[in-house]
Amino acid sequence: MNIDFKKLDRAFNPKTVAVVGDKGPGYMWLNGQKTFTGKLYSVQVDPREIEGIKALGVENYPSLLAIPEAIDLVIVAVPKQVAYRILEDCIKKDVAAAHFFTSGFTETETDDGIRLEKMMVDRAKEANFLLIGPNCMGLYNPLVGIRQVPRQPVGFKGPVSFISQSGTHAITFSEEAYLQALEVNKSVSFGNGRVLDAADYLEYFAQDASTRAIGMYIEGTRDGQRFLKTLKKVAEQKPVVIWKGGRTEEGARAIASHTGSLALPMAIWEAAMKQCGAIRVNSLEELVDTLNALMFLSPVYGNRVGIAGGSGGQSVAIADVFSENGLKVPALTKESYDKLASFFVLVGSGCKNPIDPGVNRREIKRIMDILEEDANIDNLVLMTSVTSMFRTTEQLERDAAMLIELRQRTQKPVAVVLGYYAPETSKEVNAFARTLRDHGICLFVSPERGARAIRNALLYHGLRTNK
Amino acid sequence: MNIDFKKLDRAFNPKTVAVVGDKGPGYMWLNGQKTFTGKLYSVQVDPREIEGIKALGVENYPSLLAIPEAIDLVIVAVPKQVAYRILEDCIKKDVAAAHFFTSGFTETETDDGIRLEKMMVDRAKEANFLLIGPNCMGLYNPLVGIRQVPRQPVGFKGPVSFISQSGTHAITFSEEAYLQALEVNKSVSFGNGRVLDAADYLEYFAQDASTRAIGMYIEGTRDGQRFLKTLKKVAEQKPVVIWKGGRTEEGARAIASHTGSLALPMAIWEAAMKQCGAIRVNSLEELVDTLNALMFLSPVYGNRVGIAGGSGGQSVAIADVFSENGLKVPALTKESYDKLASFFVLVGSGCKNPIDPGVNRREIKRIMDILEEDANIDNLVLMTSVTSMFRTTEQLERDAAMLIELRQRTQKPVAVVLGYYAPETSKEVNAFARTLRDHGICLFVSPERGARAIRNALLYHGLRTNK
């Protein structure tokens, strides 16, 4: 089928949205869209539900066709028996696209479900109609306030779009990304993906000017050849980072039960992703951190990291973890040690690499400058802590100012790694990370997460340099 | 030297504490002990500091010898030049032990520091005096309220004691353990460890009846043979879980700069730890989770895990991660599938293993019961979420009641694994974890952390079964 990206663009950036068949007491879809900046309609015929919908302040109509203006996006939450009739209405009204939350189709492996889905898919393809799903959480666009669940944050336009074969992972991605100061541009949970598949969303985000990088959670695809061809083309234009579900025999069995995707051996996937120039990750956290590194760190071209700021024990921990993840924490040049020796007080501190400054913490600017000038060092990391009694808000601000000034005059990537992340400091950490991000510096909440992100950024830039 | 454990016990459970040389504006040591349930004294001669100390409500004396009663623990924060004189006073007053926060000794690799430390060590050994440190954060006992820093929680007596060659890791351990509902019994940061070394603290905690398991962070030891001999003996009595710093070349260089410990090749450490029956971990989080599993899970004797409760995407993620960490998530028996088929509604759900219940979530008790009876399953995991709109407090309470009832009639270990941990839910998660823990059920905040803990518990019990 011929996909009209202008229409899909209308659906991702709607001015009008209609929710069909939402139900109380939660009204999850209407409540999800209460942040929508455009005009929201409801379609519901059950008189008991209509009262609740009116109480929400949403205009209700007995059918899509009765709504007196054009609709960009329809969200369908009706039982599966009614889904085909709603699809017909969507086509008749010429809406831009419809997201079917409705489930009970091929994913149930029942004859009835398979037959119903085939009817809908055939009808949509025949009409060249953009059907999202079924059996999915649909679209999220924080700028216009359309959401997959009511708790997703809104009011910004980030650099990264996300394509997900799991509704939960789509929602969790928006939470974790926001927490790590990585704002989402748009995301889609595409469910059974029978009309629009992963490859279609890849192509859409490739041509979408406001999407600078693409994250994916994928379990499998019906048309592997087309997917990989598309991936190769898109990864040449923008970074694509892929979290593949079903990497193991146990995971593959679970995907059969989840989306029924074909389980290609993981070795084939790995080779294909590498050949396509996509970066592979193994968890949601690694996905978010890697996208963060690709968006905000200066390009990473070397594996040697200079680290300062942690305590003695933290310095040992980060050296081990960075090394275990394929990075180097090398000795500095003799010149650097000479420069350090001119002011470094040795009481309870270490001046190798990592540099545990101890009582020299007030000289952290000089120490970071020495790492910046060191010929053995490709990447700069300040290890710090937000909980510690030694790190007040004022000191964080001073560190931020120091790093921002450093960042403006160095080509070397600059990152901050927390020695420990205490959940009660999440707001302060988030504010600190946002300040840094706005100046091209990434914060990672643990040595392990920092190591993986920097390694993946190096892989990304390395793949491109070697071409 | 001959270590008097009764004396060390007095220091770990003091009735009287004196802080020598604490300074404003922070008065970190006096403020740290403001939760102390016994009598706290200060020793300070600087008139400017004495005012601040009086303002804290602490009695001050011009010298240790002037304090009119016996002292169990002395915390020394004086400059290194004065440290020897304070040691002499401690010996003269026959205090049970002294913790020297004072640094500037062998860790600086300066002649002066090495000489000063040798003087102190020789004097302590000659007098058979229990010197803790120097260059360390000392003792933590939440039951009597003595602390390494003012933010450590108090007012409980947990099952696990911790021995740390890093002050930061000792403090962070107490935070992370508390967060994961694992309460600390006692801990020690032992710094240069020249009079009392890791092996001494191991022996102490081995004979301490209230310590049920021992965690360690260790970088190295001067007497490897004695350490391993002690470890072997202690690990036969209680679980010992060791986080070894300096596993890599980079980490080993960092420990040289931190504690100056000898870097034995990691392969030797690994073989020795295994032979001694200790469990090796690679991070603070793994240390806490493993101790949790050893304290609260039923003994783990098999690697096959039955999992229910996550969404489709979460089920794929946990199956991958458990498998990547050496566990199995096998297919169930035919009997189990027959039982499931009798009530399982297939809409948007999967009934393999993991079981994604979807609309069958209300039947979670029946599902867990089927896993419990399944001959292919050794361990039971409920995958759940505390953030989700679908998991209210009431539902968490219902889940807890269901699991507690299950736990009372099964030999199989029962655990809860979160699909995603949102920091803003940390209080609710902690409360849920505490309720579960009190009934012999462990909560792990991510699939990866759960997988590692269960695998390590299996290793622990496996080592003991094969003997």
Side-chain angles (χ1 to χ4, degrees):
Chain A
M1 106 173 213
N2 173 30
I3 295 163
D4 182 344
F5 285 139
K6 286 220 180 79
K7 265 196 170 173
L8 195 50
D9 212 47
R10 262 177 68 205
F12 267 109
N13 301 278
K15 291 193 170 60
T16 51
V17 169
V19 173
V20 183
D22 203 13
K23 277 187 175 173
Y27 297 103
M28 66 175 269
W29 291 104
L30 289 167
N31 275 314
Q33 315 323 311
K34 75 182 170 201
T35 47
F36 176 44
T37 53
K39 174 80 179 166
L40 179 66
Y41 294 96
S42 163
V43 173
Q44 178 56 271
V45 289
D46 185 335
R48 289 161 306 181
E49 301 294 356
I50 292 172
E51 289 224 356
I53 290 164
K54 282 187 177 154
L56 293 174
V58 179
E59 257 176 59
N60 187 72
Y61 287 86
S63 87
L64 261 180
L65 301 173
I67 297 176
E69 67 171 321
I71 296 293
D72 296 319
L73 174 66
V74 176
I75 298 170
V76 186
V78 300
K80 67 176 175 189
Q81 292 77 5
V82 196
Y84 187 87
R85 200 162 56 71
I86 303 299
L87 174 64
E88 283 289 6
D89 282 358
C90 289
I91 294 168
K92 210 170 287 169
K93 195 169 169 67
D94 193 24
V95 306
H99 149 220
F100 281 77
F101 170 61
T102 307
S103 59
F105 299 100
T106 49
E107 79 279 7
T108 61
E109 297 175 29
T110 59
D111 293 342
D112 189 38
I114 293 166
R115 189 183 50 78
L116 267 172
E117 185 170 292
K118 187 172 183 316
M119 271 176 66
M120 288 177 65
V121 170
D122 289 349
R123 180 70 185 102
K125 287 190 172 170
E126 177 196 72
N128 225 31
F129 181 77
L130 302 180
L131 190 161
I132 297 159
N135 182 32
C136 70
M137 299 303 286
L139 308 185
Y140 169 50
N141 181 341
L143 187 66
V144 302
I146 59 164
R147 299 189 289 186
Q148 293 151 339
V149 287
R151 71 171 183 274
Q152 286 176 303
V154 298
F156 51 82
K157 183 178 173 177
V160 165
S161 291
F162 184 54
I163 302 166
S164 181
Q165 207 162 357
S166 149
T168 312
H169 292 329
I171 295 159
T172 312
F173 179 83
S174 59
E175 287 187 83
E176 179 63 17
Y178 190 77
L179 199 64
Q180 305 304 330
L182 176 70
E183 284 165 350
V184 172
N185 188 285
K186 294 184 263 292
S187 93
V188 57
S189 145
F190 67 85
N192 297 5
R194 289 300 305 276
V195 177
L196 295 174
D197 199 356
D200 300 308
Y201 297 108
L202 259 178
E203 284 194 335
Y204 168 70
F205 287 129
Q207 60 81 53
D208 176 45
S210 71
T211 293
R212 289 178 46 220
I214 301 166
M216 294 191 88
Y217 169 75
I218 190 151
E219 297 185 350
T221 174
R222 255 177 311 278
D223 187 346
Q225 279 213 313
R226 188 190 154 217
F227 176 76
L228 293 176
K229 210 178 118 188
T230 308
L231 178 60
K232 193 166 165 56
K233 194 179 69 182
V234 175
E236 277 165 12
Q237 301 168 54
K238 299 178 182 184
V240 181
V241 182
I242 301 181
W243 175 23
K244 171 71 176 70
R247 297 183 297 282
T248 63
E249 192 191 317
E250 347 276 300
R253 202 153 32 69
I255 67 173
S257 169
H258 179 215
T259 52
S261 297
L262 280 179
L264 281 176
M266 191 56 197
I268 292 180
W269 267 96
E270 267 183 64
M273 285 191 274
K274 195 173 172 188
Q275 213 210 323
C276 290
I279 295 298
R280 173 206 162 183
V281 297
N282 286 339
S283 71
L284 181 77
E285 288 77 10
E286 191 182 352
L287 178 64
V288 168
D289 296 329
T290 301
L291 286 165
N292 237 340
L294 293 177
M295 289 295 92
F296 297 109
L297 278 188
S298 313
V300 179
Y301 289 119
N303 68 352
R304 300 169 307 171
V305 187
I307 304 167
S311 72
Q314 287 177 330
S315 294
V316 174
I318 196 171
D320 276 335
V321 167
F322 271 48
S323 172
E324 284 166 343
N325 283 281
L327 299 170
K328 295 278 170 203
V329 188
L332 305 181
T333 60
K334 188 179 173 306
E335 292 74 42
S336 290
Y337 288 127
D338 289 345
K339 281 188 260 181
L340 278 168
S342 73
F343 66 90
F344 205 87
V345 182
L346 273 170
V347 174
S349 49
C351 77
K352 303 287 167 62
N353 179 27
I355 299 174
D356 151 23
V359 295
N360 306 283
R361 187 55 167 78
R362 76 187 72 119
E363 300 285 4
I364 192 73
K365 183 178 156 34
R366 282 171 85 175
I367 297 169
M368 292 301 289
D369 281 351
I370 290 169
L371 291 178
E372 199 280 321
E373 288 159 16
D374 194 293
N376 291 352
I377 295 301
D378 305 308
N379 306 281
L380 308 174
V381 168
L382 177 73
M383 190 173 196
T384 191
S385 160
V386 174
T387 35
S388 164
M389 52 194 290
F390 303 112
R391 287 290 98 66
T392 62
T393 309
E394 251 171 64
Q395 284 165 316
L396 287 179
E397 280 169 14
R398 219 177 305 144
D399 281 351
M402 180 272 291
L403 292 168
I404 290 165
E405 191 275 329
L406 174 65
R407 172 68 176 78
Q408 281 159 357
R409 59 186 163 82
T410 183
Q411 296 289 316
K412 298 182 181 179
V414 181
V416 170
V417 172
L418 301 188
Y420 178 67
Y421 178 67
E424 74 268 20
T425 62
S426 64
K427 282 201 171 61
E428 289 85 346
V429 171
N430 184 261
F432 190 40
R434 276 170 200 282
T435 302
L436 295 171
R437 174 206 68 186
D438 289 343
H439 295 87
I441 300 160
C442 274
L443 181 146
F444 303 107
V445 296
S446 77
E448 193 160 30
R449 292 180 66 165
R452 288 175 179 170
I454 294 171
R455 175 200 63 195
N456 291 344
L458 175 62
L459 272 174
Y460 176 81
H461 294 290
L463 281 174
R464 268 134 201 93
T465 312
N466 296 336
K467 267 190 178 167
Chain B
M1 106 175 212
N2 173 30
I3 294 162
D4 182 345
F5 284 140
K6 285 220 180 80
K7 265 197 170 174
L8 195 50
D9 211 47
R10 262 177 68 206
F12 267 108
N13 301 279
K15 292 193 170 61
T16 52
V17 170
V19 173
V20 183
D22 203 12
K23 276 186 177 175
Y27 296 103
M28 66 174 271
W29 291 105
L30 289 167
N31 274 314
Q33 315 323 313
K34 75 181 171 203
T35 47
F36 177 43
T37 53
K39 173 80 178 168
L40 178 65
Y41 294 96
S42 164
V43 173
Q44 178 57 271
V45 288
D46 184 335
R48 290 163 306 183
E49 301 295 357
I50 292 172
E51 288 225 354
I53 290 164
K54 281 186 180 157
L56 292 174
V58 179
E59 256 175 61
N60 187 72
Y61 287 84
S63 87
L64 261 180
L65 301 172
I67 297 176
E69 67 172 318
I71 296 294
D72 296 319
L73 173 66
V74 176
I75 299 171
V76 186
V78 300
K80 67 176 173 188
Q81 291 78 7
V82 195
Y84 186 86
R85 200 161 57 71
I86 303 300
L87 174 64
E88 283 289 6
D89 281 359
C90 289
I91 293 169
K92 209 170 287 169
K93 197 171 167 66
D94 193 24
V95 306
H99 148 220
F100 281 78
F101 171 60
T102 307
S103 59
F105 299 99
T106 49
E107 79 279 8
T108 62
E109 297 175 30
T110 59
D111 292 343
D112 190 38
I114 293 167
R115 190 183 49 80
L116 267 172
E117 185 170 291
K118 186 172 183 318
M119 272 176 65
M120 288 177 65
V121 171
D122 287 349
R123 180 71 186 101
K125 286 191 172 168
E126 178 196 72
N128 225 30
F129 180 77
L130 303 180
L131 191 161
I132 297 159
N135 181 33
C136 71
M137 300 302 286
L139 309 185
Y140 169 50
N141 181 342
L143 187 66
V144 302
I146 60 164
R147 298 188 291 185
Q148 293 150 341
V149 288
R151 70 170 183 277
Q152 286 177 303
V154 297
F156 50 84
K157 184 179 172 178
V160 166
S161 291
F162 184 53
I163 301 167
S164 181
Q165 207 164 359
S166 149
T168 312
H169 293 329
I171 295 159
T172 312
F173 179 83
S174 61
E175 288 188 82
E176 180 63 19
Y178 191 77
L179 199 63
Q180 304 306 329
L182 176 69
E183 285 165 350
V184 172
N185 187 287
K186 295 184 264 290
S187 94
V188 57
S189 145
F190 66 86
N192 297 5
R194 288 302 303 279
V195 177
L196 295 175
D197 199 357
D200 300 309
Y201 297 108
L202 259 178
E203 283 193 336
Y204 169 70
F205 287 129
Q207 61 80 53
D208 176 45
S210 71
T211 292
R212 289 179 46 220
I214 301 167
M216 294 191 88
Y217 169 75
I218 190 151
E219 297 186 350
T221 174
R222 256 178 309 279
D223 187 346
Q225 279 213 314
R226 185 187 157 219
F227 176 76
L228 293 176
K229 210 178 118 188
T230 308
L231 178 60
K232 193 166 162 57
K233 194 179 69 184
V234 174
E236 277 165 12
Q237 301 168 54
K238 298 178 183 185
V240 181
V241 182
I242 300 181
W243 175 22
K244 171 72 178 70
R247 297 183 297 282
T248 63
E249 192 191 317
E250 346 276 300
R253 203 155 31 68
I255 67 173
S257 169
H258 180 217
T259 51
S261 297
L262 280 179
L264 282 177
M266 191 56 197
I268 292 179
W269 268 96
E270 268 182 64
M273 284 190 275
K274 194 173 171 185
Q275 213 209 323
C276 291
I279 295 298
R280 172 205 163 184
V281 297
N282 286 338
S283 70
L284 181 78
E285 288 77 9
E286 191 181 351
L287 178 64
V288 169
D289 296 329
T290 301
L291 286 165
N292 237 339
L294 292 177
M295 288 295 92
F296 298 109
L297 277 189
S298 313
V300 179
Y301 289 118
N303 69 352
R304 301 168 306 171
V305 187
I307 304 167
S311 72
Q314 288 177 328
S315 294
V316 175
I318 197 170
D320 275 336
V321 167
F322 271 49
S323 172
E324 284 165 345
N325 283 281
L327 299 170
K328 296 278 168 201
V329 188
L332 306 181
T333 59
K334 187 178 174 305
E335 292 73 42
S336 289
Y337 289 126
D338 288 346
K339 281 187 260 180
L340 278 167
S342 73
F343 65 90
F344 205 86
V345 182
L346 272 170
V347 175
S349 49
C351 76
K352 304 287 167 62
N353 179 27
I355 299 174
D356 152 23
V359 295
N360 307 283
R361 186 57 167 77
R362 79 188 69 120
E363 300 285 4
I364 194 70
K365 182 178 158 33
R366 283 172 84 174
I367 297 170
M368 293 300 289
D369 281 350
I370 290 169
L371 291 178
E372 199 280 321
E373 288 160 16
D374 193 293
N376 291 352
I377 296 301
D378 305 308
N379 306 280
L380 308 174
V381 168
L382 177 73
M383 190 175 197
T384 192
S385 159
V386 174
T387 36
S388 163
M389 54 195 287
F390 304 111
R391 285 291 98 68
T392 62
T393 308
E394 250 172 67
Q395 283 165 317
L396 289 179
E397 280 168 14
R398 219 176 304 144
D399 281 351
M402 180 272 291
L403 291 167
I404 291 164
E405 191 274 329
L406 174 65
R407 171 68 176 79
Q408 281 160 354
R409 59 186 162 82
T410 183
Q411 295 289 317
K412 298 182 180 180
V414 181
V416 170
V417 172
L418 300 188
Y420 178 67
Y421 178 68
E424 75 268 19
T425 62
S426 63
K427 282 201 171 59
E428 289 85 345
V429 171
N430 184 260
F432 190 40
R434 275 170 200 282
T435 302
L436 295 172
R437 174 205 67 186
D438 289 343
H439 295 86
I441 300 160
C442 274
L443 181 146
F444 304 107
V445 295
S446 77
E448 194 161 28
R449 293 180 64 166
R452 288 175 178 170
I454 294 170
R455 175 202 60 195
N456 291 343
L458 176 61
L459 272 173
Y460 176 82
H461 294 289
L463 280 173
R464 268 135 200 91
T465 311
N466 297 334
K467 267 189 180 170

